[in-house]
Amino acid sequence: MFLAFRESVATALRDTLEARGLPTDDLGIEEPPEDVDAVFASSVAFRLAGELEAPPPQVAADLAGDVDADEYDYIDRVEPTGPYLNFHPTESYFQGTLEAGQDDAYGTLADKETSVVVEHTSANPTGPVHVGRARNPIIGDAVANLLEYAGYDVDRHYYVNDAGRQIAVFTWAYETFGEDDLPEPARDRTEYRMVRYYRRGNEFLEEGDPDEVEAAEDEIQAILQGLEEGDEAAYKRVGEVVDTVLDGMKECLGRLPAEFDEFVKETRFMRNSSTDDVIARLKQLDQSVYEDDAWQLAFDDIEKNLVFLRADGTSLYTTRDLAHHEWKFDNYDRAVTVLGEDHKLQAEQLGTTLELLGNDTDQLDNVIYSYVNLPEGKMSTRKGTGVQLDDLLDEAIARAREEVEDRLEDRLRGDELTEADVDRIARQVGVGAVRYDIVSKQPAKGITFEWERALDFEAQSAPYVQYVHARCCGILDEAGDIEPVADVSELTTEAERDLIRTLARFPGVIDEAADDHQPHQVATYTRELADQFNTFYRECPVLTAEDEATQAARLALVGAARHAVANALDVLGVEAPDSM
């Protein structure tokens, strides 16, 4: 209803302006002033005041008088307030919203018949996922979810760096050192066991006997050259290490959860010669220069050159990523990449180079995020390895369990919840709190994760929103055989109407947030929806309503709220518990 109403408003404005011979390129449709109960407002009067030689309030009044509301769906009336035209909805708008909300897919938009690949996380497979990088899979997964809800055909990709020096060092170390050379792993999982080889190898290269280090460097270089030259033995050696580490990293990311349709390896674009093709084309560009023993691109508006081929004939990460992106452009309509702020320069160089190679970079969008910090002294590290994502999730679940047990102590004594129920709720709340707190902030802003805020059941946090879903489920379960009836004529109080207005906005929030790749807009919406539902819950009895018709209509409203909350949380990757 919201999107259809917005289109009706746009049509009415265009028709009105065209009838006066006025330009229709900027209709100025936006949210109305806070003290106006309209759904949409237009600030077009500001733009036209000079052309019409009249003050904006007069222009708004004149235009409002020209709109015949009866000609347009869902428009009840148009009223000017100062310089704004305010569009008020018909009852059919509220009725349609209530009916649409009965669908458990509410908020999902029509198929756009557009394919999108979302690349995120892509952490180097050299060890466990560090908490500082946790924002990437959380934001990336939410962006992918959001685009799916908006009607795009989405694939989720993890780009695997399996061709750089780090991996060559890792492979050499894995083949060189034995278990006796290594400390105990921090966790009994593959990436924690494997990372010991990588750390031991780096220690040796920094502190070992110079002659032995030189021999090791020769072997490491041989691995890199083997990959560059298409040596199958080199690919097999590296693949064993990378795949083993990735198995563990997948388990960690699965706890969020963040899952992928494909793990795309860098070496794919070396083996199929597309990297060689990119290098050959780069050398032909006017911006290509050979200096400092390397082939480079010199840009007009980027200070630092892009090195794309070393003197020894080995390519670089960005060179291979150029081939990777051209493959994306060949196979998808759009490509979205989630990157840490330390990759801004690389992203700029990549985009400019793709243009120089003749690609349409309008297909490419980047979501740049800042990093997550933990408050000092809140979490201990594991044997000097730093705080890993696993540590954060363990701590979140443990803290959530404490909070849940404190709140449900009486219910546990009454055997209403089993230990399995408490475990489930603790995981849903704990992991949900981490995801929600991180994804609810604008990506470009640095954040410090704080437990007290993230797990506050009373504040605007994941548990606060999750509890609304659980409350909706409880009401509907308690209603038993009472059939909800989507009859908006029975819902006339301010609290009921405000909740319906908020529910109606959900598809519009999905549409706008998807266009901007900003899932934090959905998080903001969930808090507003939770606030409105709680007001409704306080002021409008459902199961003890004064008559059966009101009871049935309010049950339908609760059902619509349940679907909207569940789906909004699903976009964010946060589970919606049936009970808490």
Side-chain angles (χ1 to χ4, degrees):
M1 291 299 108
F2 185 87
L3 296 177
F5 187 20
R6 188 171 68 187
E7 185 55 38
S8 284
V9 169
T11 301
L13 283 168
R14 279 193 295 266
D15 291 348
T16 301
L17 296 180
E18 286 174 355
R20 286 179 168 239
L22 297 170
T24 61
D25 54 318
D26 182 6
L27 301 176
I29 299 173
E30 56 190 62
E31 291 185 10
E34 289 186 5
D35 58 344
V36 176
D37 66 354
V39 173
F40 293 106
S42 170
S43 60
V44 71
F46 284 109
R47 177 172 63 83
L48 298 175
E51 186 168 347
L52 296 175
E53 298 182 346
Q58 181 181 328
V59 174
D62 290 345
L63 292 176
D66 286 353
V67 179
D68 184 355
D70 293 338
E71 293 186 9
Y72 304 97
D73 292 339
Y74 310 118
I75 299 178
D76 179 60
R77 65 190 189 280
V78 185
E79 295 179 343
T81 302
Y84 293 95
L85 285 82
N86 300 302
F87 291 80
H88 297 262
T90 60
E91 280 296 286
S92 62
Y93 174 78
F94 293 102
Q95 180 64 35
T97 296
L98 189 59
E99 291 174 359
Q102 304 312 300
D103 187 345
D104 60 9
Y106 181 58
T108 303
L109 306 187
D111 188 353
K112 288 184 169 56
E113 298 183 353
T114 301
S115 61
V116 183
V117 56
V118 177
E119 177 199 331
H120 68 85
T121 307
S122 300
N124 289 339
T126 53
V129 181
H130 188 273
V131 71
R133 299 278 177 176
R135 206 170 186 182
N136 198 313
I138 290 172
I139 292 176
D141 190 61
V143 168
N145 294 340
L146 176 58
L147 290 169
E148 280 190 331
Y149 267 81
Y152 293 95
D153 180 13
V154 178
D155 275 355
R156 297 161 165 82
H157 284 187
Y158 187 121
Y159 186 48
V160 183
N161 179 355
D162 65 335
R165 174 178 165 81
Q166 288 177 308
I167 299 302
V169 169
F170 203 159
T171 302
W172 161 79
Y174 179 66
E175 296 171 349
T176 299
F177 299 104
E179 184 70 30
D180 293 343
D181 299 313
L182 308 172
E184 287 295 312
R187 287 175 187 261
D188 186 21
R189 204 169 64 208
T190 55
E191 80 271 38
Y192 287 90
R193 293 194 293 271
M194 291 294 290
V195 74
R196 298 175 300 159
Y197 293 97
Y198 180 64
R199 292 182 179 137
R200 179 69 184 92
N202 279 301
E203 288 173 2
F204 179 87
L205 294 175
E206 291 175 6
E207 303 169 3
D209 177 87
D211 291 338
E212 293 181 353
V213 169
E214 183 178 356
E217 290 288 2
D218 290 342
E219 179 61 23
I220 292 165
Q221 186 62 26
I223 294 171
L224 289 171
Q225 290 287 358
L227 295 176
E228 208 73 44
E229 295 166 5
D231 178 38
E232 288 298 326
Y235 288 129
K236 184 176 180 180
R237 292 166 66 188
V238 167
E240 180 182 356
V241 171
V242 169
D243 291 343
T244 303
V245 176
L246 278 177
D247 284 343
M249 295 175 76
K250 290 175 188 177
E251 283 193 52
C252 173
L253 294 169
R255 299 181 67 190
L256 283 172
E259 298 178 347
F260 298 87
D261 297 295
E262 189 171 353
F263 286 77
V264 181
K265 293 184 176 179
E266 273 187 287
T267 50
R268 172 179 186 163
F269 306 102
M270 301 167 74
R271 300 176 84 164
N272 67 11
S273 299
S274 57
T275 300
D276 290 338
D277 175 67
V278 165
I279 290 169
R281 290 155 58 207
L282 289 173
K283 286 181 177 181
Q284 298 302 312
L285 295 175
D286 292 339
Q287 294 82 357
S288 181
V289 296
Y290 187 84
E291 58 185 39
D292 298 329
D293 294 326
W295 282 94
Q296 308 181 34
L297 285 186
F299 303 102
D300 293 332
D301 53 357
I302 302 176
E303 184 176 346
K304 188 173 182 180
N305 287 1
L306 170 66
V307 177
F308 63 86
L309 187 66
R310 300 184 185 93
D312 61 9
T314 55
S315 58
L316 289 90
Y317 177 90
T318 304
T319 323
R320 300 184 288 270
D321 204 17
L322 288 165
H324 173 217
H325 274 76
E326 290 193 327
W327 171 81
K328 289 183 186 180
F329 294 160
D330 287 341
N331 289 277
Y332 297 91
D333 298 315
R334 292 174 57 188
V336 178
T337 309
V338 182
L339 297 165
E341 60 187 357
D342 56 339
H343 287 79
K344 278 184 180 179
L345 173 62
Q346 177 187 317
E348 188 177 6
Q349 291 176 326
L350 180 79
T352 300
T353 306
L354 285 168
E355 286 184 2
L356 292 173
L357 290 171
N359 296 280
D360 178 11
T361 54
D362 287 343
Q363 294 175 262
L364 178 63
D365 293 296
N366 293 317
V367 178
I368 306 291
Y369 67 91
S370 186
Y371 293 112
V372 177
N373 299 308
L374 293 172
E376 289 294 327
K378 291 295 183 182
M379 292 183 64
S380 61
T381 62
R382 289 175 174 266
K383 301 182 180 179
T385 63
V387 179
Q388 313 300 346
L389 178 57
D390 282 309
D391 301 324
L392 181 66
L393 296 179
D394 286 350
E395 183 82 2
I397 293 168
R399 286 174 178 259
R401 185 181 177 91
E402 284 183 25
E403 185 70 25
V404 170
E405 287 180 336
D406 287 346
R407 288 173 171 271
L408 300 180
E409 185 177 359
D410 292 339
R411 293 178 64 183
L412 283 172
R413 280 203 296 265
D415 294 327
E416 293 184 30
L417 286 181
T418 66
E419 284 297 313
D421 289 329
V422 175
D423 288 341
R424 170 184 56 81
I425 295 170
R427 179 186 55 78
Q428 290 175 322
V429 171
V431 176
V434 169
R435 287 195 63 137
Y436 189 94
D437 194 70
I438 289 174
V439 81
S440 65
K441 312 299 190 304
Q442 291 188 30
K445 293 184 177 180
I447 60 174
T448 297
F449 184 84
E450 296 177 355
W451 293 112
E452 292 75 12
R453 179 189 64 225
L455 286 168
D456 190 342
F457 279 65
E458 308 301 330
Q460 295 183 331
S461 60
Y464 177 74
V465 179
Q466 288 173 311
Y467 195 78
V468 167
H469 183 266
R471 176 165 277 165
C472 289
C473 292
I475 293 170
L476 293 168
D477 287 346
E478 195 174 342
D481 295 331
I482 302 174
E483 191 71 25
V485 178
D487 182 359
V488 79
S489 67
E490 295 292 334
L491 305 174
T492 58
T493 69
E494 183 178 354
E496 290 164 329
R497 288 303 170 110
D498 284 347
L499 179 54
I500 298 173
R501 287 175 189 274
T502 304
L503 289 170
R505 289 175 42 224
F506 183 35
V509 171
I510 294 294
D511 187 53
E512 182 178 349
D515 280 348
D516 299 334
H517 303 131
Q518 293 185 341
H520 71 272
Q521 294 180 14
V522 180
T524 299
Y525 171 78
T526 63
R527 295 193 292 267
E528 295 170 2
L529 179 57
D531 286 342
Q532 290 294 348
F533 181 85
N534 286 332
T535 299
F536 159 77
Y537 180 78
R538 287 193 304 269
E539 298 181 8
C540 303
V542 179
L543 300 178
T544 59
E546 56 271 22
D547 57 69
E548 292 182 359
T550 301
Q551 182 186 65
R554 287 179 178 171
L555 277 174
L557 184 53
V558 171
R562 174 190 178 183
H563 291 147
V565 172
N567 292 338
L569 288 176
D570 188 49
V571 168
L572 305 177
V574 175
E575 289 191 56
D578 292 341
S579 60
M580 284 178 66

